[in-house]
Amino acid sequence: MLSRVSLAMVAALVLPGAPATAHPHVFVDTKLKVVVSANGKLEGIEVSWTYDDFYSLLLMADLGIDQDGDGELTQNELVRLNGFDLNWIAGFEGDSYATRNGRKVRLGKPEGRGVSASGGRITSVHFRPARGRADGVVIKAYDPTFYTAYDLVGTVDVDGPCTASIQPADLDAAFTTVEELLYATPADEAEEAYPEVGEVFADTVSLSCAD
């Protein structure tokens, strides 16, 4: 699993002076919980995002909350914050992806499950409903553009008769991919044509279910 520190090191591995060294901008600790029915059907995925300290600070300042600066929020402030990251534009996949046998598993619209704040960091939780057989489903959390870096933390919980295994991303291969793609991109086009490398930095979660 990829730490926020190691993700930040991506900037040191790309072409010197290239505008793309600004990626990523936001770091999010991610936890996943998969819900499976008693008969092995995938019901959905609960996604928890804990934003980095700086982004959380900017968000709270923008909303005019946490006036005392203690990093904790009152109930009224949490009500104002609730759902802040669920107003997705058309076509946005939610930076959560699922496949089965290489084919896309559709994840439904996000259902908010609350927000919290602790130690100056904001956590939001949402649920993505899904359908179909759970066995063999593969899940990844990433931003294709790598503007946001998702770090899968802890284990993946499964509510139901399945288990989840995690295959960490091959960071050496990921860094090499970034370098190769950037070398192939003219420096004056690097910012606009920044390659979509987010997936190569994503851990792979695989579901296995008993017969």
Side-chain angles (χ1 to χ4, degrees), residues 114-175:
V115 296
S116 60
S118 180
R121 299 184 67 188
I122 292 171
T123 297
S124 72
V125 182
H126 63 270
F127 182 77
R128 304 287 303 279
R131 300 175 62 183
R133 188 179 73 257
D135 188 51
V137 167
V138 173
I139 303 166
K140 294 183 179 182
Y142 64 91
D143 170 9
T145 68
F146 208 39
Y147 184 95
T148 301
Y150 293 92
D151 182 14
L152 189 62
V153 297
T155 59
V156 174
D157 296 328
V158 180
D159 184 357
C162 301
T163 58
S165 61
I166 302 173
Q167 177 63 48
D170 184 337
L171 298 187
D172 288 339
F175 292 143

Side-chain angles (χ1 to χ4, degrees), residues 72-94:
E72 310 293 329
L73 300 181
T74 66
Q75 189 58 44
N76 286 339
E77 289 172 329
L78 288 173
V79 169
R80 289 184 58 193
L81 185 64
N82 194 31
F84 75 94
D85 55 358
L86 297 183
N87 296 317
W88 298 353
I89 62 174
F92 178 57
E93 298 274 2

Side-chain angles (χ1 to χ4, degrees), residues 13-211:
L13 297 174
V14 297
L15 288 174
T21 56
H23 293 259
H25 294 68
V26 182
F27 299 87
V28 181
D29 286 347
T30 305
K31 288 188 68 65
L32 301 176
K33 177 181 178 181
V34 183
V35 180
V36 179
S37 69
N39 61 352
K41 300 297 183 183
L42 180 63
E43 295 188 346
I45 304 169
E46 183 179 271
V47 182
S48 173
W49 289 336
T50 299
Y51 295 90
D52 65 76
D53 308 70
F54 184 62
Y55 185 80
S56 295
L57 178 63
L58 291 178
L59 182 61
M60 288 188 282
D62 186 56
L63 293 177
I65 57 181
D66 190 31
Q67 294 293 324
D68 57 8
D70 66 355
E72 310 293 329
L73 300 181
T74 66
Q75 189 58 44
N76 286 339
E77 289 172 329
L78 288 173
V79 169
R80 289 184 58 193
L81 185 64
N82 194 31
F84 75 94
D85 55 358
L86 297 183
N87 296 317
W88 298 353
I89 62 174
F92 178 57
E93 298 274 2
D95 290 345
S96 295
Y97 301 87
T99 59
R100 185 190 301 104
N101 298 325
R103 301 184 66 177
K104 180 179 177 180
V105 174
R106 182 181 179 277
L107 300 179
K109 294 181 179 180
E111 302 169 1
R113 293 197 168 176
V115 296
S116 60
S118 180
R121 299 184 67 188
I122 292 171
T123 297
S124 72
V125 182
H126 63 270
F127 182 77
R128 304 287 303 279
R131 300 175 62 183
R133 188 179 73 257
D135 188 51
V137 167
V138 173
I139 303 166
K140 294 183 179 182
Y142 64 91
D143 170 9
T145 68
F146 208 39
Y147 184 95
T148 301
Y150 293 92
D151 182 14
L152 189 62
V153 297
T155 59
V156 174
D157 296 328
V158 180
D159 184 357
C162 301
T163 58
S165 61
I166 302 173
Q167 177 63 48
D170 184 337
L171 298 187
D172 288 339
F175 292 143
T176 298
T177 296
V178 172
E179 289 180 326
E180 290 176 347
L181 290 172
L182 288 176
Y183 272 119
T185 304
D188 60 351
E189 298 177 12
E191 186 66 21
E192 278 199 29
Y194 190 83
E196 293 195 344
V197 297
E199 185 174 6
V200 298
F201 288 95
D203 296 338
T204 300
V205 177
S206 301
L207 296 183
S208 178
C209 307
D211 294 332

